[in-house]
Amino acid sequence: MESFLFTLTNPIHCFSKTPSTPFRLTTTASIRVQAEAAPISLQEEPLPVIPPRLMVKTDSLQYPAGYIGAFPNPSSSGNDNNDHIAMSYVRNILSSKVYDVAVESPLELAPKLSKRLGVNVWLKREDLQPVFSFKIRGAYHMMANLPREQLEKGVICSSAGNHAQAVALSAKKLNCTAVVVMPVTTPDIKWKSVESLGATVVLLGDSYEESQTYAKKRAITDGLTFVPGFDHPDIIIGQGTVGMEIVRQMKEPLHAIFVPIGGGGLISGIAAYVKMISPQVKVFGVEPTDANTMALSFHHGERVILDQVGGFAEGVAIKEVGEENFRICMEHVDGIVLVNRDSLCASIKDMFEENRGILEPSGALALAGAEAYCKYYGVKGENVVAITTGANMNFDKLRMVTELADVGRRKEALFATILSEEAGSFKQFCQLLGHINITELKYRYNNKEKAVLLYSVGVDEDSELKAMEEKMELSELPTSNLTESELVKDHLRYLMGGQANIENEVVCRFIFPERPGALMNFLDCFSPRWSITLFHYRGKGEMGANVLVGMHVPQNEMDEFRDRANKLGYDYTVVNDDHAFQLLAQK
């Protein structure tokens, strides 16, 4: 992979600090793949020809947190048909029946965060809905508008989380049957909560895509109505009531609304309403850096498919945005902010400190994006709204959140320093740190001339870190800042036990699906063909587990290794050349 640094002129001049803002655009091999065919028909009819979709990598478009680095290229303004469609959305949003089951969520000022940022941060509390998520709005609106004869036949959906609960609760309210198809990796607590609402749960497939394919087929064979998660006008209308409430509740001039993006249902509904009623208000989408589907679609001017997607914020872990959602966003959204996992953890902590609420990662996405944007562009004194979209937190994930929250808030930094393996060197190192607070330190003697210390420090100001690094440099102690390395934070910080020199060792990061038998499938694929030299498992919730694995694979067997790894079907990356791995684990 070859990487280049481009400088693009930002056409939205009011957003840019300077006339041009650099960001990293990595050239990758993009391929076009055939999209899923139209819904399966029971008659012998030719399927419509669907143009192939571009498949891209998430790291092919990355830019600084808070920067508006992806924005749409809308069709010519004044298009009568587009205006007519937009007004139709507004009328339907105003007359929606979502309040039969949903509540008008409060718009609350976050005083602590507002004081820290110098802006008025308002939280639109969709995490307080009956199913702790905004999803109830879209599901209910669509189902309540079905003809009675369709509703009596029942509905079906595919989801691993919030949409599943929304459909189940809506079906209970409307007195109809509901089938919810969920991947076999779905935690018991989630599918049991759906079942408790009266829906029939079918656990099928290792991924959302497999579950959805089955659900769409069964909808046809059983005469059920498929309720999509985001790509349907009625879903968009239901979600658009969030925008209607914000316009009504906000009594002061509003600068911007920040909206999480998964498939695009929520932001397209909000943008369709807000841009017609209050066109001066900016509507920004927020995506994780490892699930930047809409940003890449804007960049390419068409809907794209991600080859793989990060699962930490599973509520927005969507590989392809919806067709109608994309069309609306191209017309009405002002751009996309990207934030990383550490920032999400920091915003979850901010929410807890603000009002003792605990958001799921995707529920904190807008809050992280609003803060990053205000910091990047130096916004002060304005009113901004962040939509807290959900509170269905997987409890197992809280440990990771607490570990990374201070890193995301820049209150903690992670370093590695190389010392001489001689008496007194460790004491000298501690003297150089001075009064800086050490929150974690790991060292293991390895019978070499040089030793590596891995440590975390708590800081209040960036100047403290800069002063510390200067001290290390003057004392000729090579020091690396590893704060941004996910490999270190997920694995290497737990494996400090000395370096190893293993000939022909291949080290990879795999993502194991969270299901029984995943480890044995892995071992059946590679063992005893190659011996395992390293293994560290790091669970991250229902979307899978990060696993660092080393194996002894001679160079002439690498093609066979790659072939087996690809057939296994688990996402993986070779990390032998990673700087942090070479520093901490390799001689």
Side-chain angles (χ1 to χ4, degrees):
M1 183 184 294
E2 208 176 354
S3 180
F4 300 94
L5 189 66
F6 289 86
T7 300
L8 302 187
T9 301
N10 182 0
I12 309 178
H13 299 297
C14 60
F15 295 155
S16 186
K17 282 183 173 179
T18 57
S20 60
T21 305
F23 66 93
R24 185 160 297 281
L25 177 63
T26 308
T27 59
T28 56
S30 297
I31 59 173
R32 287 190 176 270
V33 296
Q34 191 68 36
E36 182 183 352
I40 298 171
S41 173
L42 297 179
Q43 285 80 31
E44 295 281 339
E45 295 180 359
L47 293 173
V49 177
I50 300 176
R53 202 93 75 229
L54 186 68
M55 179 174 282
V56 297
K57 295 181 180 295
T58 58
D59 61 4
S60 65
L61 179 67
Q62 296 293 317
Y63 43 86
Y67 173 59
I68 308 299
F71 33 83
N73 181 21
S75 59
S76 59
S77 59
N79 186 310
D80 291 339
N81 186 51
N82 286 344
D83 289 346
H84 175 74
I85 294 172
M87 284 307 302
S88 176
Y89 271 110
V90 170
R91 285 193 298 269
N92 282 284
I93 288 169
L94 287 169
S95 61
S96 176
K97 300 176 182 178
V98 297
Y99 302 106
D100 291 349
V101 63
V103 299
E104 180 171 327
S105 58
L107 185 66
E108 300 175 348
L109 182 68
K112 294 179 182 177
L113 189 57
S114 297
K115 182 178 180 181
R116 192 175 80 226
L117 295 179
V119 297
N120 297 316
V121 179
W122 298 85
L123 306 177
K124 180 59 174 167
R125 297 293 305 278
E126 284 299 289
D127 55 299
L128 299 179
Q129 289 293 346
V131 291
F132 308 105
S133 163
F134 74 96
K135 287 285 190 177
I136 186 63
R137 295 174 182 264
Y140 186 81
H141 179 86
M142 178 178 175
M143 291 168 62
N145 281 276
L146 290 175
R148 191 65 230 178
E149 58 271 20
Q150 276 187 259
L151 204 58
E152 288 174 352
K153 292 178 181 179
V155 299
I156 188 170
C157 76
S158 56
S159 170
N162 295 339
H163 181 57
Q165 295 184 68
V167 170
L169 180 59
S170 298
K172 184 177 182 179
K173 178 72 175 178
L174 294 166
N175 195 29
C176 74
T177 60
V179 177
V180 178
V181 186
M182 309 179 84
V184 297
T185 56
T186 305
D188 289 357
I189 190 173
K190 287 203 170 184
W191 70 258
K192 285 181 178 178
S193 67
V194 172
E195 196 174 58
S196 70
L197 291 169
T200 299
V201 174
V202 177
L203 297 176
L204 186 143
D206 292 334
S207 67
Y208 170 76
E209 287 77 15
E210 291 179 47
S211 299
Q212 180 173 260
T213 299
Y214 171 81
K216 287 183 175 180
K217 289 180 180 178
R218 184 164 170 181
I220 295 172
T221 58
D222 291 8
L224 306 174
T225 298
F226 180 75
V227 182
F230 45 84
D231 196 5
H232 191 283
D234 281 336
I235 298 291
I236 294 168
I237 290 164
Q239 319 301 31
T241 56
V242 177
M244 176 186 68
E245 290 175 13
I246 292 172
V247 171
R248 184 170 64 239
Q249 292 169 325
M250 194 68 209
K251 304 303 182 184
E252 302 173 39
L254 179 57
H255 173 66
I257 301 172
F258 292 84
V259 190
I261 296 181
L266 180 61
I267 192 168
S268 54
I270 290 174
Y273 185 88
V274 171
K275 286 298 185 178
M276 291 300 292
I277 305 302
S278 302
Q280 76 283 1
V281 176
K282 304 296 181 185
V283 178
F284 294 122
V286 187
E287 293 185 306
T289 55
D290 59 1
N292 52 345
T293 325
M294 188 68 80
L296 278 160
S297 296
F298 280 177
H299 177 72
H300 289 282
E302 62 178 294
R303 286 192 302 147
V304 301
I305 301 175
L306 298 183
D307 67 335
Q308 63 183 60
V309 61
F312 180 70
E314 69 271 9
V316 293
I318 305 295
K319 290 186 176 181
E320 181 182 16
V321 298
E323 183 176 0
E324 175 65 357
N325 312 111
F326 179 66
R327 185 197 67 77
I328 293 173
C329 289
M330 284 287 281
E331 290 291 328
H332 299 300
V333 169
D334 293 287
I336 308 295
V337 176
L338 300 182
V339 295
N340 63 20
R341 183 180 62 176
D342 298 349
S343 297
L344 287 179
C345 293
S347 290
I348 293 171
K349 183 179 180 181
D350 284 342
M351 184 71 170
F352 179 77
E353 292 179 343
E354 197 74 54
N355 53 32
R356 297 300 181 264
I358 297 179
L359 299 174
E360 61 189 272
S362 59
L365 198 56
L367 191 55
E371 177 170 353
Y373 168 85
C374 291
K375 285 182 176 178
Y376 188 90
Y377 291 105
V379 177
K380 297 294 180 184
E382 299 281 5
N383 290 291
V384 299
V385 170
I387 303 174
T388 57
T389 51
N392 290 300
M393 167 63 89
N394 181 347
F395 192 80
D396 295 338
K397 196 172 285 185
L398 283 174
R399 180 183 63 176
M400 182 182 294
V401 170
T402 57
E403 289 176 354
L404 299 178
D406 284 343
V407 174
R409 188 57 61 232
R410 294 294 186 264
K411 293 294 185 181
E412 185 178 68
L414 186 62
F415 288 92
T417 294
I418 299 175
L419 302 179
S420 299
E421 194 67 276
E422 60 185 30
S425 60
F426 182 65
K427 181 178 180 180
Q428 177 197 7
F429 165 79
C430 291
Q431 289 172 334
L432 287 171
L433 286 179
H435 296 295
I436 286 184
N437 178 36
I438 299 176
T439 57
E440 183 180 19
L441 192 148
K442 295 180 180 179
Y443 158 71
R444 176 76 168 116
Y445 176 76
N446 62 12
N447 197 29
K448 291 172 59 181
E449 292 182 358
K450 299 292 183 181
V452 179
L453 273 69
L454 181 65
Y455 55 100
S456 299
V457 296
V459 292
D460 292 321
E461 302 290 342
D462 289 341
S463 58
E464 293 182 75
L465 288 184
K466 186 176 181 181
M468 185 199 78
E469 291 181 83
E470 289 176 352
K471 284 184 182 179
M472 296 297 174
E473 184 179 348
L474 290 173
S475 301
E476 298 183 349
L477 299 179
T479 298
S480 297
N481 189 333
L482 304 177
T483 307
E484 300 298 328
S485 172
E486 291 193 9
L487 182 63
V488 174
K489 289 178 286 192
D490 285 347
H491 299 290
L492 297 181
R493 71 189 302 174
Y494 304 103
L495 294 172
M496 284 297 293
Q499 298 162 307
N501 184 13
I502 302 172
E503 187 177 3
N504 293 323
E505 182 183 41
V506 176
V507 181
C508 302
R509 294 184 78 191
F510 280 86
I511 298 179
F512 280 28
E514 287 281 17
R515 67 169 185 266
L519 175 58
M520 284 308 302
N521 287 343
F522 175 85
L523 294 175
D524 288 342
C525 181
F526 295 109
S527 179
R529 181 67 178 89
W530 297 292
S531 59
I532 293 176
T533 58
L534 171 69
F535 195 92
H536 182 254
Y537 175 98
R538 172 81 166 170
K540 61 175 185 176
E542 64 268 27
M543 293 296 291
N546 289 329
V547 184
L548 187 66
V549 183
M551 281 177 275
H552 181 263
V553 183
Q555 188 62 37
N556 62 353
E557 297 173 6
M558 277 301 298
D559 288 344
E560 181 187 353
F561 170 81
R562 292 191 185 95
D563 184 58
R564 291 195 180 206
N566 292 335
K567 287 180 179 177
L568 177 64
Y570 298 176
D571 292 335
Y572 77 98
T573 306
V574 178
V575 299
N576 285 72
D577 295 333
D578 186 274
H579 166 69
F581 176 76
Q582 292 178 342
L583 179 65
L584 300 175
Q586 199 171 55
K587 283 187 177 180

